[in-house]
Amino acid sequence: MTTQHKSEADVVLIGAGIMSATLGLLLKELQPNLKIEIFERLDIAAAESSDAWNNAGTGHAAFCELNYTPEKSDGSIDTSKAVKIVEAFEVSRQFWSYLVEKGLLNNPENFIKSIPHMSFVWGEKNTKYLKKRFDALQEFHLFKDMEYTEDAEKIKEWAPLIMEGRKGAKKLAATSMRFGTDVNFGELTRSIFRYLETLEGVQLHFNHDVRKLRRYDDGTWRVKVKELESGAKKRVKAKFVFIGAGGGSLLLLEKANIPEGEGFGGFPVSGQWLKCTNEELIAKHQAKVYGKAAVGAPPMSVPHIDTRMIDGKKALLFGPYAGFSTKFLKNGSYFDLAKSIKRKNIKPMLGAGISNIPLTKYLIEQVMQSSEDRMKALREYLPDAKKEDWVLENAGQRVQVIKKDKNGKGVLEFGTEVVNAADGSLAVLLGASPGASTAVSIMLDLIGRCFKDELASPEWQAKLKEMIPSYGQKLNENPQFADEIRHKTGTILKLKDLAKSSV
C-alpha cells in the first residue's frame, strides 16, 4: 500500500500559470508568514496558456482590440469593457513596476517591451465604426494619446508591410496608440515563481496532479495529489485553495463540488498561428495590428499581425486561426469535454450550444481550412505575403465559460470568471482573454472576496497602496495622477514611449 505524505498549508495554489504566480506573490507580500504550496501537473511553470507561443503576447489595454468596443443596436459604441480593461492593465503595470523597483524581478525588458497598438479596417461600414470608436474613447484620459487616420500614407508610416501591394480605392482607416506593449507572460510567470521559491514557507511541486478536493466541516480543504514520476500520494490540509489551472480549472471545480459551481460548463477552442520565417519581413514590421473578427468568431480569434519578442528574438505572427478540440488543455486529454459533462450542467451546455450556432459553423469552417485559405486571410493584412515565408504553429487551448443566466438558460461567456465558495475558502478562475494582462486586478478582486477581514486591515491597505499607488482610484478620473503613474511605470519597466509621457 502506498503511504501518503501529509502536510498543512495556509494556501494551496493549483496550476503554475500567471494567475497562481500573481496571487501567490500578492498574498506573500501582504502576509509574509503565509505557508503556500503550489502544484503543477507539468514539469515547468507557464507551459500552457501563459507560455509565449500559446497567447497573443499583447498587453491587453483595449487600445486596438475591437471586440472590447461593440457597436450597440442604436449605432453608439459601448466603451464600458474597454475602460475597465485599460484601468486594469495600468494596475498590472504598477504591480510589475513595484516588483522591479524592489529588486524582486530583474531585467523587465525580458518580459515587457514597448510596441504600438493599431486597429486597421477597410470598407465604408468598418471605417465609420472605427471613427465612432475613436471618438467615443477620446472621452477617457487613458485613451487621449490615440491617433486616427484615413490617410494611406500615414498608415504606411505606422505599418509599412500592411500597405505594400495594396491596390484599389477601398476606403481604409487605422488608429495607433504608442503606449502599447508586448508582454512575454511565460517569462514573467517563471520569474515570479523563481522569486517565490526563495521565500520561506513556499514550496513549488512540478509533475504533481491534483486528483481530489474535499471540504471539511471546519471549512478547510483536503487536497489529494499524485506525484506523476514516483506515483507517491500526498494529502494537504489547506485553509484556502485557488484553482488557476487554465482549461483544467473546470474539471477541478466539479471535483470541489461547491454549490456556487453548479451549472458551469466549458466550450474548448484551440488556435494556430502563421509564423514568419523571413527575417527581412520581420524587421520591417513594428506594431500589433488588430482587425475585425469574422461574424460568429470567438474573441480569441480576432485577426492580428503581431510583432513579438520571444526568448529575446523578434518574431512576426499572424492569426490566430480558431479550431475545435475536445481537450481542455494543450497537454490535456481528448476526453476532457466528455468528462466535464455532468447532470447539473448538461442543460446549460446544450442551451449554449443551440444559441451559438454561428460559432459552431465558424469553427467547422476554420477546422476545414486549407493552407491556401489561411494565406488568403493573411493577404487581407499583408497583400504581398508569400506562402514560402510562413509556417503553421499550434497555439494555446482555451475553454470558454458556459453558465446559467438569470433565467436559468445556458449562455456562452467570453472573458474571465471567478467562482468562489461562499465562505471564501476556495476560488476558481475560469475563462480566457484578457486574463493574463489583467491578472493583478482579477486577483485583487479574488482577495476581496476570500480575504475580506484581512483586506480591511490598515496593514493590508497600506501595503496595497505601496504596491499599487492608484489602488481604490480610477485613473481616467485623475488625469494628472494617471500621467504621473504612466511616466513612473514606463521609466521603471524601460518602456521608452511610456517614459516620454508628459507629467
Side-chain angles (χ1 to χ4, degrees), residues 32-305:
N33 65 347
L34 282 177
K35 184 180 179 185
I36 299 176
E37 295 215 32
I38 306 152
F39 296 101
E40 167 57 49
R41 188 170 60 90
L42 302 178
D43 59 0
I44 189 173
E48 283 282 352
S49 297
S50 301
D51 183 72
W53 290 110
N54 292 342
N55 62 63
T58 301
H60 286 298
F63 296 152
C64 57
E65 306 92 331
L66 303 182
N67 55 303
Y68 297 153
T69 48
E71 191 170 9
K72 295 191 281 191
S73 57
D74 65 359
S76 63
I77 302 297
D78 183 354
T79 58
S80 57
K81 188 170 185 178
V83 172
K84 184 179 179 181
I85 289 171
V86 75
E87 292 273 8
F89 189 65
E90 294 291 336
V91 168
S92 290
R93 196 160 56 232
Q94 288 174 71
F95 182 58
W96 300 337
S97 298
Y98 164 82
L99 300 179
V100 172
E101 196 172 29
K102 293 293 181 182
L104 311 188
L105 294 184
N106 299 311
N107 305 315
E109 62 273 20
N110 288 346
F111 69 83
I112 190 167
K113 296 273 190 183
S114 291
I115 186 80
H117 282 193
M118 289 179 58
S119 299
F120 176 61
V121 299
W122 52 88
E124 191 73 34
K125 183 180 177 182
N126 289 339
T127 300
K128 284 181 179 177
Y129 160 78
L130 192 63
K131 182 62 166 66
K132 282 195 293 186
R133 177 185 189 269
F134 169 76
D135 290 340
L137 292 176
Q138 288 302 291
E139 295 179 24
F140 304 96
H141 183 74
L142 294 175
F143 293 97
K144 283 291 184 184
D145 289 280
M146 183 180 285
E147 297 179 74
Y148 174 87
T149 189
E150 295 178 17
D151 178 21
E153 287 302 312
K154 189 67 175 176
I155 298 173
K156 187 177 180 180
E157 181 186 319
W158 289 343
L161 273 189
I162 68 174
M163 297 304 291
E164 284 185 8
R166 195 168 290 278
K167 299 182 178 77
K170 193 179 285 186
K171 197 163 187 180
L172 305 172
T175 58
S176 180
M177 189 72 164
R178 73 178 189 274
F179 291 152
T181 52
D182 177 70
V183 184
N184 186 327
F185 289 106
E187 180 57 35
L188 174 61
T189 302
R190 287 186 280 271
S191 295
I192 291 174
F193 278 125
R194 280 195 293 270
Y195 170 69
L196 277 172
E197 281 192 285
T198 69
L199 302 179
E200 186 178 347
V202 177
Q203 287 189 297
L204 177 55
H205 309 274
F206 291 114
N207 295 305
H208 280 65
D209 188 29
V210 173
R211 296 297 176 92
K212 289 184 180 179
L213 291 157
R214 181 182 172 189
R215 182 161 49 178
Y216 290 118
D217 291 340
D218 64 358
T220 60
W221 286 85
R222 183 184 71 189
V223 183
K224 284 191 173 183
V225 187
K226 182 177 181 180
E227 187 177 353
L228 297 177
E229 288 184 353
S230 67
K233 294 178 180 178
K234 298 181 180 181
R235 193 165 72 187
V236 184
K237 185 179 180 181
K239 296 175 185 175
F240 171 75
V241 176
F242 170 65
I243 303 174
S249 291
L250 176 62
L251 296 173
L252 289 169
L253 171 62
E254 292 176 340
K255 289 180 179 180
N257 196 31
I258 58 173
E260 296 80 7
E262 287 184 8
F264 278 91
F267 185 84
V269 179
S270 60
Q272 293 178 313
W273 300 105
L274 280 177
K275 183 177 77 171
C276 185
T277 58
N278 185 322
E279 294 296 332
E280 187 180 336
L281 291 181
I282 295 169
K284 270 187 178 182
H285 191 72
Q286 186 65 18
K288 288 181 175 288
V289 182
Y290 276 60
K292 286 204 82 174
V295 175
M300 68 169 283
S301 299
V302 174
H304 43 103
I305 179 79

Side-chain angles (χ1 to χ4, degrees), residues 376-424:
K376 184 180 178 182
L378 171 61
R379 289 184 184 117
E380 290 189 317
Y381 289 83
L382 301 184
D384 282 348
K386 296 179 176 61
K387 191 174 180 179
E388 59 267 26
D389 292 332
W390 300 83
V391 295
L392 191 64
E393 294 277 351
N394 286 325
Q397 187 78 7
R398 302 287 186 273
V399 177
Q400 308 295 345
V401 180
I402 293 173
K403 66 176 186 178
K404 294 178 184 176
D405 65 11
K406 60 184 179 182
N407 299 315
K409 294 181 178 179
V411 291
L412 187 62
E413 291 282 322
F414 296 111
T416 49
E417 180 98 18
V418 174
V419 182
N420 62 278
D423 63 359

